[in-house]
Amino acid sequence: MPTGLFITLEGVEGSGKTTQAAILGDALRRENRRVVVTHEPGGTRAGEAIRSIFLDPAVSLDVAAELLLVLADRAQHVREKLRPAVAAGEIVISDRYSDSTIAYQGYGRGFDLKLLADLNRLASDSMQPDLTLVLDVPVETGLERTRARVKGAIRGPDRFEGEAHEFHTRVRHGFLEVARAEPDRVKVINAAQPLEAVSAEILAVVSSLIKRRCL
Ligand code: T5A
């Protein structure tokens, strides 16, 4: 029975996850590996509909509704896309997953971490990443990158980009706490470096895992 690999990229706004997920996907495809690059919220048709409500600052959302929406997105993503792809032997790279709920809804919004762990287990059907890379940057660096992007686009900041600096500081701390608690699964990458240096570090960690798993 073929088994692939499940890799997640996590981090604060503008840490470079989307950019690095694409670069890693391309690098692995060049090695003739089968790769799926996906993201949360989103990644399925239902997920994209959820995402549009979830991120729109013009839609009023209580924090409990926000939490339940992102969990609904994950429940669909795992069952429709992530688990079948890994079972088929693909390397799945997800731009955000369960640790974002711990960091944003737990450390950011203040939900109880034990409750979130239970809800994450339900939503993810207990599917854990083989490897999680936390792209760590100072909050200001990340927000500066997203602001530069917003300037050149027609859209304004989304629900989270518009949050206070303290919120993002708690979120960054949350990711680092997750990494401290689970050092075998979670590796912290210094994402304040130039793009190519970050990509090289990520590829080295992933290649070493692939080698260990004999994939
Ligand atoms: N959320 C999500 C929750 O609250 N709970 C959850 O459980 C989940 C799953 C998702 C939002 O949802 C929240 C968290 C998020 O706020 P999103 O639009 O998917 O919203 O937002 P992000 O995941 O934060 O994506 P961003 O696009 O904002 O950030 P990325 O993906 O980290 O950064 P990226 O790659 O788009 O890069 C941003 C800019 O920086 C440049 C890029 O070219 C780009 O312009 N850049 C660099 N510049 C210099 N040096 C580098 N090393 C660079 N790397 C990238």
Side-chain angles (χ1 to χ4, degrees), residues 93-123:
I93 302 166
S94 186
D95 178 355
R96 296 197 184 279
Y97 189 62
S98 302
D99 297 318
S100 279
T101 309
I102 301 296
Y104 280 79
Q105 279 64 49
Y107 286 84
R109 299 288 193 223
F111 278 98
D112 178 66
L113 296 180
K114 165 77 173 60
L115 170 70
L116 293 184
D118 290 343
L119 290 172
N120 258 336
R121 214 166 10 258
L122 169 71

Side-chain angles (χ1 to χ4, degrees), residues 3-6 129-131 208-215:
T3 310
L5 212 53
F6 181 31
D130 297 289
L131 171 68
S208 142
L209 175 64
I210 288 176
K211 204 168 165 196
R212 282 203 308 281
R213 294 283 178 94
C214 303
L215 290 174

Side-chain angles (χ1 to χ4, degrees), residues 13 55-58 143 146-147 149-151 153-163 168:
E13 313 291 308
L55 290 182
D56 186 350
L143 290 177
T146 63
R147 276 197 286 268
R149 187 181 49 193
V150 165
K151 253 187 226 157
I154 31 170
R155 74 165 179 89
D158 68 27
R159 183 184 307 283
F160 294 92
E161 288 163 359
E163 281 291 341
H168 294 290

Side-chain angles (χ1 to χ4, degrees), residues 67-194:
L67 167 64
L68 293 171
L69 275 178
V70 85
L71 292 167
D73 166 67
R74 182 157 310 126
Q76 190 63 29
H77 197 206
V78 165
R79 290 158 180 84
E80 180 179 327
K81 192 168 186 178
L82 301 180
R83 206 185 273 293
V86 173
E90 309 241 14
I91 298 181
V92 177
I93 302 166
S94 186
D95 178 355
R96 296 197 184 279
Y97 189 62
S98 302
D99 297 318
S100 279
T101 309
I102 301 296
Y104 280 79
Q105 279 64 49
Y107 286 84
R109 299 288 193 223
F111 278 98
D112 178 66
L113 296 180
K114 165 77 173 60
L115 170 70
L116 293 184
D118 290 343
L119 290 172
N120 258 336
R121 214 166 10 258
L122 169 71
S124 70
D125 195 24
S126 297
M127 184 176 182
Q128 276 274 34
D130 297 289
L131 171 68
T132 295
L133 299 163
V134 170
L135 305 197
D136 184 51
V137 282
V139 165
E140 201 41 56
T141 308
L143 290 177
E144 200 44 60
R145 289 178 188 167
T146 63
R147 276 197 286 268
R149 187 181 49 193
V150 165
K151 253 187 226 157
I154 31 170
R155 74 165 179 89
D158 68 27
R159 183 184 307 283
F160 294 92
E161 288 163 359
E163 281 291 341
H165 195 281
E166 299 72 51
F167 174 87
H168 294 290
T169 302
R170 291 199 300 279
V171 169
R172 182 188 186 196
H173 172 69
F175 281 123
L176 295 176
E177 282 298 302
V178 170
R180 203 173 54 85
E182 293 184 67
D184 289 344
R185 171 177 69 89
V186 185
K187 307 290 173 210
V188 178
I189 305 283
N190 173 9
Q193 307 174 82

Side-chain angles (χ1 to χ4, degrees), residues 189-210:
I189 305 283
N190 173 9
Q193 307 174 82
L195 216 132
E196 297 73 23
V198 180
S199 314
E201 219 176 286
I202 290 176
L203 188 59
V205 176
V206 171
S207 299
S208 142
L209 175 64
I210 288 176

